[in-house]
mmCIF file of all heavy atoms in Angstrom:
data_model
loop_
_atom_site.group_PDB
_atom_site.id
_atom_site.type_symbol
_atom_site.label_atom_id
_atom_site.label_comp_id
_atom_site.label_asym_id
_atom_site.label_seq_id
_atom_site.Cartn_x
_atom_site.Cartn_y
_atom_site.Cartn_z
ATOM 1 N N GLU A 39 105.849 4.862 -21.251
ATOM 2 C CA GLU A 39 104.385 4.895 -21.363
ATOM 3 C C GLU A 39 104.012 5.811 -22.521
ATOM 4 O O GLU A 39 104.489 6.941 -22.601
ATOM 5 C CB GLU A 39 103.754 5.455 -20.089
ATOM 6 C CG GLU A 39 103.803 4.524 -18.903
ATOM 7 C CD GLU A 39 103.078 5.133 -17.702
ATOM 8 O OE1 GLU A 39 101.961 5.679 -17.885
ATOM 9 O OE2 GLU A 39 103.648 5.076 -16.608
ATOM 10 N N THR A 40 103.162 5.327 -23.389
ATOM 11 C CA THR A 40 102.634 6.164 -24.466
ATOM 12 C C THR A 40 101.119 5.963 -24.477
ATOM 13 O O THR A 40 100.607 5.084 -23.782
ATOM 14 C CB THR A 40 103.196 5.765 -25.852
ATOM 15 O OG1 THR A 40 102.496 4.607 -26.311
ATOM 16 C CG2 THR A 40 104.688 5.486 -25.805
ATOM 17 N N PRO A 41 100.411 6.773 -25.261
ATOM 18 C CA PRO A 41 98.962 6.534 -25.357
ATOM 19 C C PRO A 41 98.640 5.135 -25.895
ATOM 20 O O PRO A 41 97.506 4.677 -25.785
ATOM 21 C CB PRO A 41 98.496 7.621 -26.334
ATOM 22 C CG PRO A 41 99.530 8.690 -26.231
ATOM 23 C CD PRO A 41 100.822 7.984 -25.980
ATOM 24 N N PHE A 42 99.639 4.455 -26.454
ATOM 25 C CA PHE A 42 99.386 3.147 -27.063
ATOM 26 C C PHE A 42 99.716 1.979 -26.145
ATOM 27 O O PHE A 42 99.458 0.828 -26.489
ATOM 28 C CB PHE A 42 100.191 3.005 -28.360
ATOM 29 C CG PHE A 42 99.892 4.074 -29.350
ATOM 30 C CD1 PHE A 42 100.791 5.104 -29.597
ATOM 31 C CD2 PHE A 42 98.686 4.079 -30.039
ATOM 32 C CE1 PHE A 42 100.504 6.103 -30.507
ATOM 33 C CE2 PHE A 42 98.386 5.074 -30.943
ATOM 34 C CZ PHE A 42 99.301 6.088 -31.185
ATOM 35 N N TYR A 110 104.837 9.743 -22.414
ATOM 36 C CA TYR A 110 104.568 10.676 -23.508
ATOM 37 C C TYR A 110 103.139 11.199 -23.420
ATOM 38 O O TYR A 110 102.222 10.464 -23.048
ATOM 39 C CB TYR A 110 104.783 9.985 -24.862
ATOM 40 C CG TYR A 110 106.247 9.782 -25.131
ATOM 41 C CD1 TYR A 110 106.891 8.629 -24.696
ATOM 42 C CD2 TYR A 110 106.999 10.755 -25.762
ATOM 43 C CE1 TYR A 110 108.248 8.443 -24.916
ATOM 44 C CE2 TYR A 110 108.345 10.582 -25.977
ATOM 45 C CZ TYR A 110 108.968 9.426 -25.559
ATOM 46 O OH TYR A 110 110.296 9.264 -25.764
ATOM 47 N N HIS A 111 102.992 12.468 -23.791
ATOM 48 C CA HIS A 111 101.663 13.066 -23.845
ATOM 49 C C HIS A 111 100.963 12.614 -25.113
ATOM 50 O O HIS A 111 101.559 11.977 -25.976
ATOM 51 C CB HIS A 111 101.794 14.587 -23.792
ATOM 52 C CG HIS A 111 102.501 15.067 -22.559
ATOM 53 N ND1 HIS A 111 103.062 16.306 -22.438
ATOM 54 C CD2 HIS A 111 102.761 14.436 -21.385
ATOM 55 C CE1 HIS A 111 103.623 16.426 -21.251
ATOM 56 N NE2 HIS A 111 103.456 15.309 -20.606
ATOM 57 N N ASN A 112 99.702 12.991 -25.203
ATOM 58 C CA ASN A 112 98.910 12.496 -26.337
ATOM 59 C C ASN A 112 99.459 12.917 -27.691
ATOM 60 O O ASN A 112 99.315 12.205 -28.669
ATOM 61 C CB ASN A 112 97.460 12.972 -26.202
ATOM 62 C CG ASN A 112 96.681 12.066 -25.272
ATOM 63 O OD1 ASN A 112 97.026 10.890 -25.103
ATOM 64 N ND2 ASN A 112 95.648 12.598 -24.653
ATOM 65 N N ASP A 113 100.092 14.083 -27.751
ATOM 66 C CA ASP A 113 100.590 14.529 -29.051
ATOM 67 C C ASP A 113 101.935 13.884 -29.386
ATOM 68 O O ASP A 113 102.461 14.093 -30.474
ATOM 69 C CB ASP A 113 100.695 16.060 -29.107
ATOM 70 C CG ASP A 113 101.760 16.602 -28.157
ATOM 71 O OD1 ASP A 113 102.456 15.805 -27.496
ATOM 72 O OD2 ASP A 113 101.893 17.829 -28.074
ATOM 73 N N MET A 114 102.514 13.133 -28.474
ATOM 74 C CA MET A 114 103.772 12.410 -28.658
ATOM 75 C C MET A 114 104.960 13.337 -28.877
ATOM 76 O O MET A 114 106.072 12.888 -29.137
ATOM 77 C CB MET A 114 103.690 11.421 -29.838
ATOM 78 C CG MET A 114 102.597 10.394 -29.688
ATOM 79 S SD MET A 114 102.811 9.326 -28.248
ATOM 80 C CE MET A 114 103.766 7.997 -28.980
ATOM 81 N N ASN A 115 104.728 14.638 -28.777
ATOM 82 C CA ASN A 115 105.835 15.577 -28.982
ATOM 83 C C ASN A 115 106.458 16.038 -27.680
ATOM 84 O O ASN A 115 107.480 16.698 -27.669
ATOM 85 C CB ASN A 115 105.362 16.805 -29.760
ATOM 86 C CG ASN A 115 105.449 16.582 -31.245
ATOM 87 O OD1 ASN A 115 106.333 15.876 -31.708
ATOM 88 N ND2 ASN A 115 104.534 17.153 -31.980
ATOM 89 N N SER A 116 105.813 15.729 -26.572
ATOM 90 C CA SER A 116 106.367 16.128 -25.288
ATOM 91 C C SER A 116 106.193 14.964 -24.329
ATOM 92 O O SER A 116 105.357 14.079 -24.531
ATOM 93 C CB SER A 116 105.634 17.368 -24.763
ATOM 94 O OG SER A 116 104.235 17.136 -24.744
ATOM 95 N N ARG A 117 107.025 14.961 -23.304
ATOM 96 C CA ARG A 117 106.982 13.841 -22.372
ATOM 97 C C ARG A 117 107.395 14.309 -20.991
ATOM 98 O O ARG A 117 108.086 15.313 -20.836
ATOM 99 C CB ARG A 117 107.915 12.714 -22.850
ATOM 100 C CG ARG A 117 109.390 13.090 -22.782
ATOM 101 C CD ARG A 117 110.281 12.027 -23.418
ATOM 102 N NE ARG A 117 111.690 12.357 -23.247
ATOM 103 C CZ ARG A 117 112.683 11.721 -23.851
ATOM 104 N NH1 ARG A 117 112.421 10.717 -24.684
ATOM 105 N NH2 ARG A 117 113.932 12.062 -23.642
ATOM 106 N N VAL A 253 102.851 7.541 -34.603
ATOM 107 C CA VAL A 253 104.140 7.483 -33.929
ATOM 108 C C VAL A 253 103.879 6.702 -32.648
ATOM 109 O O VAL A 253 103.200 7.171 -31.739
ATOM 110 C CB VAL A 253 104.684 8.887 -33.638
ATOM 111 C CG1 VAL A 253 105.908 8.816 -32.740
ATOM 112 C CG2 VAL A 253 105.022 9.586 -34.941
ATOM 113 N N PHE A 254 104.400 5.490 -32.600
ATOM 114 C CA PHE A 254 104.077 4.587 -31.500
ATOM 115 C C PHE A 254 104.908 4.907 -30.266
ATOM 116 O O PHE A 254 104.402 4.925 -29.151
ATOM 117 C CB PHE A 254 104.322 3.147 -31.966
ATOM 118 C CG PHE A 254 103.846 2.119 -31.004
ATOM 119 C CD1 PHE A 254 102.512 1.746 -30.966
ATOM 120 C CD2 PHE A 254 104.728 1.510 -30.123
ATOM 121 C CE1 PHE A 254 102.065 0.801 -30.065
ATOM 122 C CE2 PHE A 254 104.284 0.569 -29.217
ATOM 123 C CZ PHE A 254 102.951 0.211 -29.183
ATOM 124 N N ASP A 255 106.198 5.179 -30.494
ATOM 125 C CA ASP A 255 107.106 5.493 -29.383
ATOM 126 C C ASP A 255 108.310 6.254 -29.924
ATOM 127 O O ASP A 255 109.153 5.671 -30.602
ATOM 128 C CB ASP A 255 107.563 4.194 -28.698
ATOM 129 C CG ASP A 255 108.676 4.457 -27.681
ATOM 130 O OD1 ASP A 255 108.805 5.598 -27.206
ATOM 131 O OD2 ASP A 255 109.415 3.498 -27.359
ATOM 132 N N PRO A 256 108.406 7.552 -29.614
ATOM 133 C CA PRO A 256 109.509 8.366 -30.156
ATOM 134 C C PRO A 256 110.852 8.109 -29.480
ATOM 135 O O PRO A 256 111.861 8.629 -29.956
ATOM 136 C CB PRO A 256 109.074 9.806 -29.856
ATOM 137 C CG PRO A 256 107.681 9.734 -29.329
ATOM 138 C CD PRO A 256 107.469 8.348 -28.817
ATOM 139 N N VAL A 297 110.371 4.750 -34.520
ATOM 140 C CA VAL A 297 109.181 5.206 -33.795
ATOM 141 C C VAL A 297 107.969 4.297 -34.009
ATOM 142 O O VAL A 297 106.928 4.507 -33.397
ATOM 143 C CB VAL A 297 108.805 6.652 -34.203
ATOM 144 C CG1 VAL A 297 109.970 7.592 -33.927
ATOM 145 C CG2 VAL A 297 108.376 6.733 -35.670
ATOM 146 N N TYR B 204 95.166 12.913 -35.080
ATOM 147 C CA TYR B 204 96.413 13.625 -34.844
ATOM 148 C C TYR B 204 97.393 13.453 -36.010
ATOM 149 O O TYR B 204 98.018 14.407 -36.474
ATOM 150 C CB TYR B 204 97.072 13.187 -33.531
ATOM 151 C CG TYR B 204 98.289 14.039 -33.253
ATOM 152 C CD1 TYR B 204 98.140 15.319 -32.721
ATOM 153 C CD2 TYR B 204 99.565 13.607 -33.599
ATOM 154 C CE1 TYR B 204 99.234 16.137 -32.524
ATOM 155 C CE2 TYR B 204 100.665 14.428 -33.399
ATOM 156 C CZ TYR B 204 100.501 15.691 -32.866
ATOM 157 O OH TYR B 204 101.579 16.506 -32.689
#
Side-chain angles (χ1 to χ4, degrees):
Chain A
E39 287 183 45
T40 79
F42 303 106
Y110 287 89
H111 302 161
N112 278 335
D113 67 3
M114 302 298 269
N115 273 327
S116 53
R117 68 187 185 190
V253 171
F254 188 82
D255 171 22
V297 302
Chain B
Y204 186 79

